[in-house]
Amino acid sequence: MRLLLTIVIITVIALIGSRLTFLNRKLPLGFRNIIFTGTEYIFMGVLLGKMGLNLIDPKILTSLEPFLYFGLSWIGFLFGLQFDFKSLKNLPRFFFSISAIQALFTFVIVTPIIFFSFKTFSSLPSNTLLIISLALGSASACSAQSALAIVCNNYRFKNRKLFSLLNYISGIDGIFALIFFALAFFIFPYSSITKFNLMNSLEWLLLALVIGMVTAFIFIILNKTKFSQQEFVVFIIGTVLFGGGLAMKTNHSPLLIGFICGLITANFCRHRLRALEIMVHSEKGIYIIMLVIIGAGWSLNFDFILLITGFYFLSRLLGKLGGVWIGTRSFKCDFHVPWTSGLGLLSEGGFAVAIIISFSIFYPSLSDYLVTVVILSMILNELISPTLILSHLENPKRLDFKGQPDITRQKT
């Protein structure tokens, strides 16, 4: 009965949250960005969880775990659908190269700093520290488009090319974060924090590829028949359930398997855009449910983890700053790129949270460390990101409610 009540409450929160918009133009951009990324639903989960009303206890959290697999499989599938190689070829090649350098540099900076920070302030074994460092390093490579979208919707500015570069990087660097994420599980497959075993790792990688490809081919074959809109929705839900279920049974990451399935579907299925539209429409509700669940299981301890969060925030800032600087100097752009442009990529967003949730499923004992660092850092990043983006734009003019420049509120 308690589990049923919990499911009803979470579902109601997701239904209401997916239909409401709280982006009041009178609020500062930073607060609007925090609300836009759904951070408030994590604290709703905290209220329902062990730090609040304890409606969602550890037993119920275990019962809700299959939905996390479904949600992560959905997010992975949706993310993979966005990478149609034919469309990507139309974009400037150096944009991709700059994105790769930025993501790699951020990962390389954050991972060792987090490792030695934990080693200094905790007594965790080295293998555990390596997993935590790889997890946070993977999440740090992500950049969200939410802050850029809010700025674009509220300001008119001149240097659109710089904005396009930042928007491109924030849209594609998740694929590099996913590569780093896969690397962590390749080193420690099957949730076992033991010594590296090449055969076990290769077996894990091969099985993940097979599951992702088989799931995609089933979906593609189904789409060769005549079907209605309702049947197409069933195909999508069934594919996500099938991939997530196989991931759960084989102890694999549903996020990675969903991505492989989505990537193959994007390039070999003629109904890609149709599937993308349906999945985007439902993404917010699924994401809200996942945030509530992860918040319910979160325990915030005011100890050394706050110092680690500070190191994570500063090292990620340094990584974004240095990564964009190196990338834009290695591949010259035909427009001016300030050396501080990387500060416009601090917004983290949902994909970083999805990566942390994936690690939390397989390493529940590390969940509080990972969630605390990413959530607290994300709140700070979302708060300051719009201001930092505006600082790099030429002559930004604030728009009024009708989308026209508001001369009473122009940035000087």
Side-chain angles (χ1 to χ4, degrees):
M1 183 63 185
R2 193 174 178 182
L3 175 61
L4 179 60
L5 177 62
T6 300
I7 293 174
V8 170
I9 292 174
I10 294 177
T11 303
V12 169
I13 292 174
L15 287 174
I16 295 175
S18 61
R19 286 165 172 77
L20 291 181
T21 301
F22 299 100
L23 298 183
N24 190 319
R25 288 178 177 267
K26 294 181 180 180
L27 291 175
L29 292 183
F31 285 101
R32 269 188 269 169
N33 193 33
I34 291 176
I35 294 173
F36 190 68
T37 54
T39 310
E40 68 273 17
Y41 296 105
I42 294 175
F43 293 99
M44 287 186 183
V46 171
L47 179 63
L48 297 173
K50 53 189 176 182
M51 289 200 297
L53 301 175
N54 200 31
L55 177 64
I56 306 178
D57 57 24
K59 184 178 180 180
I60 292 180
L61 281 173
T62 302
S63 301
L64 294 174
E65 190 173 285
F67 185 85
L68 291 179
Y69 276 86
F70 172 80
L72 290 170
S73 179
W74 186 282
I75 291 174
F77 189 45
L78 174 59
F79 187 64
L81 280 176
Q82 300 175 51
F83 291 94
D84 176 18
F85 294 137
K86 293 179 181 178
S87 300
L88 292 176
K89 288 180 180 179
N90 297 327
L91 296 169
R93 290 184 180 180
F94 62 85
F95 274 26
F96 185 86
S97 301
I98 293 171
S99 302
I101 291 173
Q102 175 271 142
L104 179 60
F105 187 80
T106 303
F107 177 77
V108 169
I109 290 293
V110 172
T111 302
I113 289 178
I114 293 299
F115 180 88
F116 288 110
S117 297
F118 267 100
K119 194 174 183 64
T120 302
F121 295 105
S122 73
S123 57
L124 296 173
S126 295
N127 286 347
T128 301
L129 296 182
L130 183 56
I131 277 291
I132 293 177
S133 305
L134 290 172
L136 292 174
S138 302
S140 71
C142 297
S143 302
Q145 294 178 312
S146 56
L148 291 164
I150 288 177
V151 169
C152 184
N153 290 335
N154 287 272
Y155 285 86
R156 178 186 294 173
F157 43 86
K158 293 182 178 180
N159 46 345
R160 302 293 303 185
K161 289 187 176 181
L162 174 61
F163 187 88
S164 296
L165 173 61
L166 295 177
N167 198 49
Y168 178 91
I169 294 174
S170 61
I172 204 172
D173 60 4
I175 194 171
F176 302 107
L178 201 59
I179 292 172
F180 305 143
F181 167 85
L183 174 64
F185 278 99
F186 182 79
I187 297 175
F188 297 110
Y190 304 116
S191 306
S192 56
I193 308 179
T194 57
K195 293 182 179 180
F196 174 70
N197 186 302
L198 181 60
M199 292 306 298
N200 285 343
S201 297
L202 291 174
E203 177 188 341
W204 175 88
L205 180 60
L206 179 61
L207 188 56
L209 291 172
V210 169
I211 293 174
M213 289 189 292
V214 168
T215 307
F217 289 147
I218 292 174
F219 181 74
I220 293 170
I221 291 172
L222 288 173
N223 279 270
K224 292 185 178 297
T225 62
K226 292 184 178 180
F227 53 82
S228 64
Q229 179 72 0
Q230 292 78 11
E231 289 172 329
F232 189 61
V233 173
V234 172
F235 292 165
I236 293 174
I237 295 175
T239 300
V240 174
L241 279 172
F242 183 65
L246 284 178
M248 188 173 185
K249 286 295 183 181
T250 58
N251 208 19
H252 273 69
S253 167
L255 185 65
L256 180 60
I257 288 176
F259 173 76
I260 295 171
C261 177
L263 185 65
I264 296 173
T265 301
N267 292 277
F268 294 98
C269 180
R270 58 193 178 96
H271 297 290
R272 163 188 171 263
L273 294 178
R274 191 176 175 182
L276 191 60
E277 181 182 358
I278 292 173
M279 297 196 73
V280 167
H281 183 72
S282 304
E283 179 197 18
K284 187 174 181 180
I286 293 173
Y287 182 59
I288 288 173
I289 294 176
M290 293 177 62
L291 291 178
V292 172
I293 293 175
I294 200 69
W298 181 29
S299 290
L300 175 59
N301 297 315
F302 293 94
D303 52 14
F304 70 89
I305 199 64
L306 296 180
L307 287 173
I308 302 295
T309 302
F311 285 120
Y312 174 79
F313 171 80
L314 292 174
S315 60
R316 184 174 179 272
L317 185 150
L318 179 61
K320 295 293 181 182
L321 191 65
V324 173
W325 184 83
I326 294 173
T328 53
R329 269 53 183 180
S330 301
F331 298 89
K332 296 294 183 180
C333 301
D334 58 355
F335 52 92
H336 176 60
V337 181
W339 71 272
T340 55
S341 295
L343 296 178
L345 297 172
L346 292 185
S347 183
E348 290 182 81
F351 201 69
V353 177
I355 287 176
I356 292 304
I357 293 175
S358 297
F359 277 102
S360 298
I361 290 176
F362 288 93
Y363 305 100
S365 62
L366 308 179
S367 176
D368 288 338
Y369 295 126
L370 299 175
V371 173
T372 299
V373 170
V374 169
I375 296 305
L376 295 183
S377 172
M378 186 172 74
I379 292 172
L380 181 57
N381 282 321
E382 307 310 323
L383 187 63
I384 65 176
S385 287
T387 302
L388 292 175
I389 293 171
L390 281 172
S391 68
H392 292 89
L393 300 179
E394 295 178 7
N395 193 27
K397 297 180 180 180
R398 183 142 190 174
L399 303 176
D400 62 15
F401 294 105
K402 296 180 181 179
Q404 300 299 323
D406 184 350
I407 59 174
T408 65
R409 291 181 292 178
Q410 288 184 15
K411 180 180 173 64
T412 58

